[in-house]
Amino acid sequence: MITSNGYILDESPGRLGRLDAVPVGERRDRDALWQRLRRDGYLYLTQHLDADLVEGFRRYYFETLAPTGLVDVDGIHEGVDAGGPVDGALTRRLLFDEIVPGDRYAALTTHPSIRDWFRWFLGDDVHLHRRRIIRHTRPGESGIGTATQAHYDLVYLREGTDRVLSMWIPLGDCSVETGGLAYLEGSHHRVMAQERAGTLRLPAASITADLPSLADEYDARWLVADYRAGDVMVHSAHIVHASTDNVDPRSRIRLSTDIRYQRVSDPIDWRWQEHWFEGDGL
């Protein structure tokens, strides 16, 4: 049973499917990748990053947050949930004052495997938005607000180009049951049509936490995957996506980061040029 914010996803063939990874033979074919991105709204690039790089950052993250009580003392390197109360104030201080603005996070998000790839794919010098988000979800958390609700990124990026691309990086293995990202198949086509018609210019907000109803409304499938450390998702600003609940049987905390690259020659949303901080309103 797959859930998101407590809602049970319909697992019938018309409502649930698997993401298609980019075949190895297309990985260096820029035209083929653009065709795929325009068609599907996403690029699922397996083993794009060195798994050791990703796992190393995961260990650093949980070692840094260990004093908060978040992780089990015998499972810090794996990010095993301690299952007890967490010092929220200390978590926020360590996250926003040390991890987010720190050198380790910058090195990960500007790694040549990422920056050089975007430069090649976009065919131009690129800009990384300074506002980068790290999320962790403890196993067993449920109810509205615990998993990422259905949304598309453009509603949060109105002041810049709509050609900005997001990269979602699972920081460690992240199966469906650990709370991986899910995409609503083909939703970017409908969103772009409604954007052109001017009917979706809403304040920055999610669409809904009710993923099953949204799939019915779109008559579409939620697409999921069992991500491995080193996999990345590149997606357009128009495709609707969300995350599933973390019900990992090994009590591993789901950890991921969202970053955004664009051509430096395109308009840049000025609001995204400061480090992510608590209560930034986006």
Side-chain angles (χ1 to χ4, degrees):
M1 184 173 66
I2 303 172
T3 65
S4 177
N5 289 290
Y7 289 93
I8 301 173
L9 271 66
D10 181 350
E11 297 188 39
S12 64
R15 290 292 176 265
L16 188 71
R18 307 290 293 189
L19 289 162
D20 289 328
V22 177
V24 174
E26 289 185 18
R27 296 286 285 264
R28 300 303 301 173
D29 186 336
R30 187 164 51 192
D31 291 340
L33 290 177
W34 273 109
Q35 182 178 4
R36 179 179 285 269
L37 181 62
R38 294 187 183 101
R39 183 191 70 205
D40 298 339
Y42 69 85
L43 298 174
Y44 178 16
L45 302 173
T46 58
Q47 299 303 286
H48 182 77
L49 302 178
D50 186 331
D52 289 339
L53 172 72
V54 173
E55 292 288 4
F57 184 85
R58 181 181 177 88
R59 288 192 297 272
Y60 155 74
Y61 183 91
F62 289 118
E63 286 170 354
T64 302
L65 291 185
T68 69
L70 176 66
V71 287
D72 187 277
V73 293
D74 296 322
I76 291 176
H77 288 179
E78 291 188 48
V80 176
D81 184 58
V86 173
D87 186 330
L90 181 57
T91 298
R92 291 187 291 273
R93 183 179 70 77
L94 293 172
L95 177 61
F96 294 115
D97 294 347
E98 294 189 25
I99 296 175
V100 169
D103 292 340
R104 289 289 297 270
Y105 190 36
L108 173 69
T109 56
T110 60
H111 192 274
S113 297
I114 297 175
R115 181 179 287 278
D116 290 352
W117 184 88
F118 273 108
R119 185 179 291 118
W120 168 78
F121 184 61
L122 293 173
D124 196 354
D125 288 336
V126 293
H127 172 76
L128 167 64
H129 289 231
R130 197 176 189 190
R131 184 180 187 269
R132 302 155 297 164
I133 301 169
I134 307 177
R135 305 180 192 276
H136 73 251
T137 306
R138 303 175 73 186
E141 292 182 330
S142 62
I144 295 175
T146 54
T148 302
Q149 299 183 33
H151 69 285
Y152 65 98
D153 291 348
L154 188 60
V155 295
Y156 302 98
L157 291 156
R158 289 289 187 205
E159 304 300 321
T161 178
D162 66 355
R163 298 193 296 176
V164 62
L165 293 177
S166 297
M167 177 179 278
W168 180 76
I169 308 172
L171 297 170
D173 293 348
C174 187
S175 64
V176 176
E177 62 190 2
T178 309
L181 216 59
Y183 291 82
L184 191 57
E185 187 174 28
S187 55
H188 59 301
H189 297 298
R190 172 170 167 169
V191 166
M192 285 190 290
Q194 292 176 314
E195 283 281 343
R196 287 192 295 269
T199 59
L200 282 178
R201 298 190 178 279
L202 305 174
S206 64
I207 300 171
T208 182
D210 187 349
L211 270 58
S213 292
L214 192 63
D216 289 340
E217 178 186 336
Y218 275 65
D219 189 19
R221 302 184 300 169
W222 284 105
L223 303 177
V224 297
D226 293 318
Y227 304 100
R228 302 296 301 273
D231 294 353
V232 301
M233 292 293 300
V234 176
H235 63 254
S236 80
H238 298 94
I239 191 166
V240 177
H241 52 287
S243 68
T244 55
D245 292 329
N246 185 355
V247 293
D248 186 88
R250 296 184 293 159
S251 297
R252 295 176 77 248
I253 299 170
R254 181 264 214 185
L255 182 65
S256 67
T257 185
D258 304 87
I259 63 176
R260 286 158 184 89
Y261 272 89
Q262 65 170 82
R263 294 179 179 90
V264 73
S265 55
D266 284 339
I268 296 172
D269 191 328
W270 62 270
R271 301 169 304 161
W272 284 68
Q273 309 320 309
E274 299 296 336
H275 287 303
W276 178 46
F277 62 92
E278 185 182 15
D280 70 359
L282 287 171

